[in-house]
Amino acid sequence: MAENQTLTIRFGIIGCAEIARKVSRAIALAPNATVVAVGSRDADKARRFISANGLPEGTRAHGSYEAVLDDESVDAVYLPLPTSLHVRWAVAAAEKGKHILLEKPTAVCVADLDRILGACDANGVQFMDSTMWMHHPRTAKMRELLSDSERFGQLRAINSIFTFSSDPDFLKNDIRVKPDLDSLGALGDLGWYCIRSILWAADYELPKTAVALRGPVLNEAGVLIACGSSFIWEDGKVATFHCSFLTHLTMELCVMGSKGTLHLSDFVVPFEESSAPFTFASNSGFTELVTGWQPLPSKHIVTTELPQEARMVAEFARLVSCIKSSGSKPESSWPAKTRKTQLVLDAVKTSIEKGFEPVEIGS
Amino acid sequence: MAENQTLTIRFGIIGCAEIARKVSRAIALAPNATVVAVGSRDADKARRFISANGLPEGTRAHGSYEAVLDDESVDAVYLPLPTSLHVRWAVAAAEKGKHILLEKPTAVCVADLDRILGACDANGVQFMDSTMWMHHPRTAKMRELLSDSERFGQLRAINSIFTFSSDPDFLKNDIRVKPDLDSLGALGDLGWYCIRSILWAADYELPKTAVALRGPVLNEAGVLIACGSSFIWEDGKVATFHCSFLTHLTMELCVMGSKGTLHLSDFVVPFEESSAPFTFASNSGFTELVTGWQPLPSKHIVTTELPQEARMVAEFARLVSCIKSSGSKPESSWPAKTRKTQLVLDAVKTSIEKGFEPVEIGS
């Protein structure tokens, strides 16, 4: 993040969702970003959001989303709207030349996402989804180990779990379980992270097949409250994930190779903001009489001055800055990761709908 | 283990398998057990085993398995023979009135196991399978937490993984991958532990259905080298496991409730002999802006003077001692756990054979 940091990217926040509080703080923390506008369908709500979250004096409160897109001082928008609204507002933002940091799940299906990505492409704006843990330095450190053929070997299997326990009111009324707002339910809200972690571990090689696990839970409106899937790759490696709104907070990621095992229990949101642990075992075997392990797994702790969400904003702002200052093209690796995540997510949903049949994952 | 410790139970070991070295040490360590005889098809091999493992002077070396069963000073036998031989030798042992500590997998199918258990029952001898981790004090401590409705709540999901990386020679020649000796392959050798851990977490409530995961690996002889399954219970809880001879040493167990999460990475063989860790999170949520967890999971360490396999022997010997000294009936909970494990294992195998169809788990 050394070059092109002269520009400070000016954000407009579209929608005053709870998660926007965390991201507005992240924008404030990022050295190359600032919030200049907040839009809500109700200007008062935007004003209250600005003052409650200590946003800079002079941050403009807009009474509509359009007004943010029309605000010429806005370089980029952060969109934490319900998923069903993403395609409309992300496409509109791109068409107004605004760079887009989009909350996940990015769309209700890959066709919708393609409309968003197409609009970004056509308008030369940067796209990034708001999967924060991608930007923690722990993630880079773990990637280094997974890439080490001596210490990790060949990837064989991945298991990922993300659950949290919600209350009856959430299960009935939260945006994330409303069929017209977030029709992907737990799959979109939590499974998104599991699928991304699996793709990340596989260095973004798409699995060949998704086979949803039996026993998903749906709410009264037919939205997924808990589900899971298995995946199989061409070369025989396998993965599983489980996500649920009914189960105590759990964030397991276990990545297994022929020579090493990576494990962490807080992959989405680290236990603590400034340091994040993981465990790595390499070439471990048993003691002579199988009464213990040798070598023991080693525990690593990766510290970070900026929290992962601020690093995400800084990286996004850096890319926007490159485009603005040197006329370079948007970085395509981020939308590519988004699209693969959505493709796999779609396949899981299709497999559930088809009675847990295997679904080939296209490209 | 306080009462009835006056009797020292005299073991005969039938077969000089590698694992018998660990268990003969465990018998020596247990305060109420001793090895008095070792049987092999070759008396010299039995003699060498006795001397190489420092067994007590006077331990008799027998040149046949029958001779151990005919040895009147033998109270109980430990049977580490290849699985396909279990039914023959365990039934013969029971008929000679010998109590039986049987290596896992206990049989190639539940019908065979039922012949063994029937013979034990008919002859009033104690049966126990050699699943060592059941006897670690950590296991009891974890059970206490899982039973706590305030701290753990209702069981929702379980994930269990046991893998180790073997070499090409193992994959072709080891007993555990020979169709005539251990036809269950990795499912019997490793999956046994995963299935037991899942049943243990569910307090031995059988799942309603097993659905094997796609993508199992078989060797040239058609024996399972890697596989997995999902399970669904009547009340909606779910579980998955994965086992493999192709993947670095991994022993993950994650048990998730509505209010708590238990996790450990060494459930079968603790990292170290005298102390064993696990992590338990209870009623954890996020900090206000979802930048961390509160409370953090707590780390527990359970120490033990006797290693788990010696505790297993001591518990088995205690039960045998009760039978011998007071004429009480064998303890039925151990064979019941064995039988459920074998039932579930059979269902997984059937599901694989039927092309990953759901298989109802009977009783």
Side-chain angles (χ1 to χ4, degrees):
Chain A
M1 284 184 283
E3 49 186 41
N4 292 94
Q5 283 209 350
T6 40
L7 291 182
T8 293
I9 300 307
R10 298 161 300 176
F11 276 80
I13 295 177
I14 291 187
C16 300
E18 186 64 20
I19 186 70
R21 296 177 60 210
K22 179 176 182 173
V23 175
S24 67
R25 172 174 172 267
I27 296 170
L29 288 171
N32 55 349
T34 187
V35 178
V36 297
V38 174
S40 171
R41 283 167 300 177
D42 170 358
D44 268 350
K45 196 174 170 195
R47 262 188 289 276
R48 283 198 302 276
F49 182 92
I50 289 166
S51 105
N53 292 285
L55 296 185
E57 252 183 76
T59 303
R60 284 175 297 287
H62 293 297
S64 73
Y65 304 154
E66 288 91 346
V68 179
L69 301 184
D70 288 331
D71 187 329
E72 291 199 351
S73 73
V74 167
D75 300 311
V77 292
Y78 166 61
L79 277 178
L81 299 172
T83 312
S84 61
L85 302 178
H86 284 188
V87 66
R88 172 172 169 199
W89 291 104
V91 168
E95 287 171 351
K96 295 279 185 176
K98 307 301 188 196
H99 304 274
I100 300 171
L101 180 62
L102 185 61
E103 252 320 317
K104 36 57 52 187
T106 47
V108 294
C109 61
V110 78
D112 271 12
L113 177 63
D114 281 344
R115 290 174 60 197
I116 296 172
L117 297 182
C120 289
D121 216 36
N123 292 282
V125 301
Q126 182 66 47
F127 175 93
M128 187 187 275
D129 69 46
S130 183
T131 307
M132 298 166 179
W133 70 269
M134 303 301 300
H135 304 272
H136 197 291
R138 171 173 67 175
T139 306
K141 177 71 194 161
M142 295 190 299
R143 155 70 58 227
E144 214 180 291
L145 290 168
L146 297 188
S147 306
D148 186 330
S149 61
E150 287 308 307
R151 297 177 74 186
F152 183 72
Q154 273 196 292
L155 177 63
R156 300 284 200 218
I158 311 154
N159 178 252
S160 181
I161 304 170
F162 187 10
T163 66
F164 71 78
S165 228
S166 56
D167 55 32
D169 181 60
F170 176 102
L171 293 176
K172 220 172 163 176
N173 299 317
D174 194 89
I175 284 172
R176 285 169 280 183
V177 297
K178 291 282 189 191
D180 52 336
L181 296 173
D182 265 306
S183 58
L184 298 170
L187 176 62
D189 193 40
L190 309 178
W192 175 273
Y193 291 105
C194 298
I195 291 169
R196 173 62 63 86
S197 71
I198 289 168
L199 286 169
W200 169 80
D203 209 10
Y204 301 100
E205 185 195 345
L206 281 172
K208 187 168 174 274
T209 315
V211 191
L213 300 178
R214 286 166 198 255
V217 181
L218 291 87
N219 71 0
E220 288 168 16
V223 175
L224 285 164
I225 297 302
C227 66
S229 185
S230 66
F231 302 104
I232 305 110
W233 279 259
E234 196 71 54
D235 69 355
K237 59 180 175 276
V238 292
T240 43
F241 84 85
H242 174 71
C243 65
S244 174
F245 286 141
L246 301 171
T247 300
H248 179 262
L249 185 56
T250 306
M251 288 180 192
E252 290 287 310
L253 179 59
C254 185
V255 185
M256 292 156 266
S258 53
K259 297 180 183 175
T261 303
L262 171 77
H263 176 264
L264 60 165
S265 293
D266 61 348
F267 80 98
V268 181
V269 176
F271 293 133
E272 296 178 285
E273 197 172 28
S274 59
S275 74
F278 68 89
T279 299
F280 188 71
S282 180
N283 295 297
S284 286
F286 291 121
T287 55
E288 201 205 336
L289 286 182
V290 194
T291 56
W293 295 39
Q294 62 182 14
L296 295 174
S298 55
K299 184 162 178 182
H300 301 251
I301 294 182
V302 180
T303 58
T304 182
E305 251 178 76
L306 277 185
Q308 60 183 10
E309 60 275 15
R311 290 176 60 96
M312 172 183 76
V313 169
E315 171 64 6
F316 174 75
R318 183 186 72 82
L319 295 171
V320 173
S321 181
C322 286
I323 297 166
K324 282 175 63 92
S325 61
S326 70
S328 64
K329 290 193 65 167
E331 166 63 45
S332 61
S333 68
W334 290 111
K337 288 169 187 173
T338 304
R339 191 170 188 279
K340 286 183 174 180
T341 309
Q342 188 87 44
L343 263 179
V344 173
L345 197 151
D346 280 19
V348 172
K349 190 158 182 274
T350 304
S351 179
I352 293 171
E353 287 162 359
K354 290 195 171 175
F356 316 101
E357 281 304 298
V359 170
E360 300 286 303
I361 299 172
S363 54
Chain B
M1 287 183 281
E3 48 187 43
N4 292 93
Q5 282 209 348
T6 41
L7 290 182
T8 293
I9 300 307
R10 298 162 299 175
F11 276 80
I13 296 178
I14 292 186
C16 300
E18 187 63 21
I19 185 71
R21 296 177 59 208
K22 181 175 182 174
V23 175
S24 65
R25 172 174 172 264
I27 296 170
L29 287 172
N32 53 349
T34 188
V35 177
V36 295
V38 174
S40 172
R41 283 167 300 177
D42 170 357
D44 268 349
K45 196 173 170 194
R47 263 188 287 275
R48 283 197 303 276
F49 184 90
I50 290 167
S51 108
N53 291 285
L55 295 185
E57 252 182 75
T59 303
R60 284 175 297 288
H62 292 298
S64 73
Y65 304 155
E66 288 91 343
V68 179
L69 301 185
D70 288 331
D71 187 329
E72 292 199 351
S73 72
V74 168
D75 299 312
V77 292
Y78 166 61
L79 277 178
L81 299 172
T83 312
S84 61
L85 302 178
H86 284 189
V87 66
R88 172 172 169 200
W89 291 104
V91 168
E95 287 172 350
K96 295 279 184 176
K98 308 301 189 194
H99 304 275
I100 300 171
L101 180 62
L102 185 60
E103 252 319 316
K104 35 58 54 185
T106 47
V108 295
C109 62
V110 78
D112 271 10
L113 177 63
D114 281 345
R115 290 174 60 197
I116 296 172
L117 298 182
C120 289
D121 217 37
N123 293 283
V125 301
Q126 182 65 47
F127 175 92
M128 185 187 275
D129 69 47
S130 181
T131 308
M132 298 166 179
W133 70 269
M134 303 301 301
H135 304 271
H136 198 290
R138 171 173 69 175
T139 306
K141 178 70 194 163
M142 295 190 300
R143 155 71 57 228
E144 210 181 294
L145 290 168
L146 297 188
S147 305
D148 186 330
S149 62
E150 287 308 308
R151 297 177 73 187
F152 184 71
Q154 275 197 290
L155 177 64
R156 300 284 200 219
I158 311 155
N159 178 253
S160 181
I161 303 170
F162 186 10
T163 66
F164 72 77
S165 229
S166 55
D167 54 32
D169 181 59
F170 176 102
L171 293 175
K172 221 172 162 176
N173 298 317
D174 194 87
I175 284 172
R176 286 168 279 183
V177 298
K178 290 282 187 190
D180 51 337
L181 297 173
D182 266 307
S183 58
L184 298 169
L187 176 60
D189 193 42
L190 308 179
W192 174 275
Y193 291 104
C194 298
I195 290 168
R196 172 63 62 86
S197 71
I198 288 167
L199 285 169
W200 169 81
D203 210 10
Y204 300 100
E205 185 196 345
L206 281 172
K208 186 166 175 275
T209 315
V211 192
L213 301 178
R214 287 167 198 254
V217 181
L218 291 87
N219 71 0
E220 287 168 16
V223 175
L224 285 164
I225 297 301
C227 67
S229 186
S230 67
F231 302 104
I232 306 110
W233 279 258
E234 196 71 55
D235 69 355
K237 59 180 174 276
V238 292
T240 42
F241 84 85
H242 174 69
C243 65
S244 174
F245 286 141
L246 301 172
T247 301
H248 179 261
L249 186 56
T250 306
M251 289 179 193
E252 290 287 309
L253 179 60
C254 186
V255 186
M256 294 157 266
S258 53
K259 297 180 183 175
T261 303
L262 170 76
H263 175 265
L264 61 164
S265 293
D266 61 348
F267 80 98
V268 181
V269 176
F271 293 133
E272 296 178 284
E273 197 172 26
S274 58
S275 73
F278 69 88
T279 300
F280 189 72
S282 180
N283 294 297
S284 286
F286 292 120
T287 54
E288 201 206 335
L289 285 181
V290 194
T291 56
W293 295 41
Q294 61 182 15
L296 295 175
S298 56
K299 184 163 180 182
H300 301 251
I301 293 182
V302 180
T303 58
T304 182
E305 251 178 76
L306 277 184
Q308 60 183 10
E309 59 275 15
R311 292 175 60 95
M312 172 182 77
V313 169
E315 171 64 5
F316 175 74
R318 184 185 71 80
L319 295 171
V320 172
S321 182
C322 288
I323 297 167
K324 280 176 66 90
S325 60
S326 70
S328 64
K329 290 194 65 167
E331 165 64 44
S332 61
S333 69
W334 289 112
K337 288 169 186 171
T338 304
R339 191 171 189 279
K340 287 183 175 182
T341 309
Q342 188 86 45
L343 262 178
V344 173
L345 197 152
D346 280 18
V348 172
K349 189 155 182 275
T350 303
S351 178
I352 293 171
E353 287 162 358
K354 290 194 170 175
F356 317 102
E357 282 304 298
V359 171
E360 299 286 304
I361 299 172
S363 55

